[in-house]
Amino acid sequence: MSDQPLDGAVALVTGASSGIGAATARRLAREGAAVALVARRRDRLHRVADDIARLGGHAVEVAADLTEPERAEEAVQDTLDRLGRLDILVNNAGIRLLGSALHTAVEEWDRMVSLNVAALLHITHAAVPHLIYAASTSPRQVADLVNVGAAAGRGARPESSVFGLTKAGLNSFTESLRQELVVERVRVSVVEPGTVDTELVDHLNEITRAAARRRVAAMEALRADDIADAIGYIVTRDRRVAVNQMLVRAGDEIL
């Protein structure tokens, strides 16, 4: 009998090509799960899959743009076809674009809403029936849905209005979904990172990117593995335990 808590389980991780998503995929593989790596950048997915194979784990690459409902459904079906089931969904894909309402192009707002909200809804809708089935048929007798939010979703900040909107809305969606699925033995959780040193800052404009990098440099920022550890902790609890919300900040972070 394996001593790995996720032995036999299948996890689907979105935004798995880098950062928190890639770190989470590696962590879940170490815990025994087979992992479907979902993102748009196939070349990056291949590297993560190779990392997992070197660790002795198993991962499959699913290149998909989840902002399209049909592609989200196909990503879930591809996971089922290749790995046989779906026990864990980690909704990590997202983007953080900062700027004031006066100076931000509406296209940037649309981009955040499309990826941070619409893509998450599409993949969740496609996955929920299979998570319910997994909870009723697996030895774990539980399934998990983990949404990656942000500390910014807890309060308003300048130049972060729409990003905060997407993450505050995520918190409300997560709690409603938790209440709906608790009777199905599907645990629904949100992990809210503070400042993490990832490539998300690369998507910002030059001035905002420089300011964000100064903020990261001024503290000992979180690493992607820190958030992956939080997610790993949540999904490896015994079925009697549900960790529904976890805020993870850098040790010297104030806001």
Side-chain angles (χ1 to χ4, degrees):
M1 184 173 179
S2 174
D3 59 356
Q4 293 176 299
L6 299 181
D7 184 49
V10 172
L12 187 159
V13 180
T14 72
S17 59
S18 62
I20 292 170
T24 298
R26 289 190 289 264
R27 171 61 188 266
L28 299 184
R30 286 197 299 271
E31 300 289 359
V35 185
L37 309 170
V38 180
R40 288 178 288 191
R41 297 176 293 184
R42 185 178 291 276
D43 58 330
R44 294 282 195 95
L45 291 178
H46 188 65
R47 289 181 227 167
V48 179
D50 283 349
D51 288 344
I52 289 172
R54 283 193 290 270
L55 292 169
H58 179 52
V60 298
E61 304 160 33
V62 182
D65 180 356
L66 302 180
T67 62
E68 301 176 16
E70 298 82 5
R71 293 297 295 125
E73 292 176 6
E74 290 169 5
V76 170
Q77 189 60 52
D78 195 7
T79 300
L80 296 169
D81 291 344
R82 298 167 72 182
L83 298 177
R85 56 186 300 113
L86 180 59
D87 302 84
I88 299 166
L89 171 63
V90 179
N91 280 318
N92 164 74
I95 193 167
R96 178 172 176 255
L97 302 173
L98 305 179
S100 70
L102 178 62
H103 298 105
T104 300
V106 72
E107 288 80 11
E108 293 191 0
W109 287 0
D110 289 343
R111 188 178 174 195
M112 280 189 284
V113 171
S114 181
L115 187 55
N116 297 3
V117 179
L120 178 141
L121 296 180
H122 298 158
I123 195 74
T124 298
H125 189 269
V128 161
H130 305 289
L131 295 173
I132 292 173
Y133 178 77
S136 67
T137 60
S138 73
R140 296 172 69 231
Q141 297 184 304
V142 72
D144 286 280
L145 194 164
V146 182
N147 292 327
V148 178
R154 290 181 169 234
R157 301 178 187 179
E159 299 191 335
S160 190
S161 57
V162 175
F163 178 72
L165 167 70
T166 66
K167 295 304 182 179
L170 172 63
N171 288 345
S172 179
F173 173 72
T174 301
E175 175 56 18
S176 292
L177 200 62
R178 182 195 71 79
Q179 294 177 29
E180 293 174 14
L181 296 180
V182 66
V183 297
E184 306 286 358
R185 304 297 298 182
V186 177
R187 299 182 295 202
V188 182
S189 310
V190 60
V191 175
E192 300 168 279
T195 299
V196 185
D197 189 4
T198 71
E199 66 177 31
L200 275 181
V201 297
D202 295 340
H203 299 289
L204 303 174
N205 63 60
E206 184 176 351
I207 296 174
T208 307
R209 182 168 62 245
R213 284 179 172 159
R214 285 195 298 272
R215 184 166 184 261
V216 171
M219 69 176 74
E220 188 175 1
L222 295 166
R223 300 170 185 172
D225 284 337
D226 297 324
I227 309 307
D229 286 345
I231 295 169
Y233 177 85
I234 287 171
V235 302
T236 55
R237 296 309 89 199
D238 186 87
R239 66 187 180 90
R240 72 182 185 278
V241 180
V243 182
N244 301 130
Q245 190 171 38
M246 187 181 293
L247 173 63
V248 186
R249 283 195 177 107
D252 54 359
E253 187 169 9
I254 296 173
L255 296 174

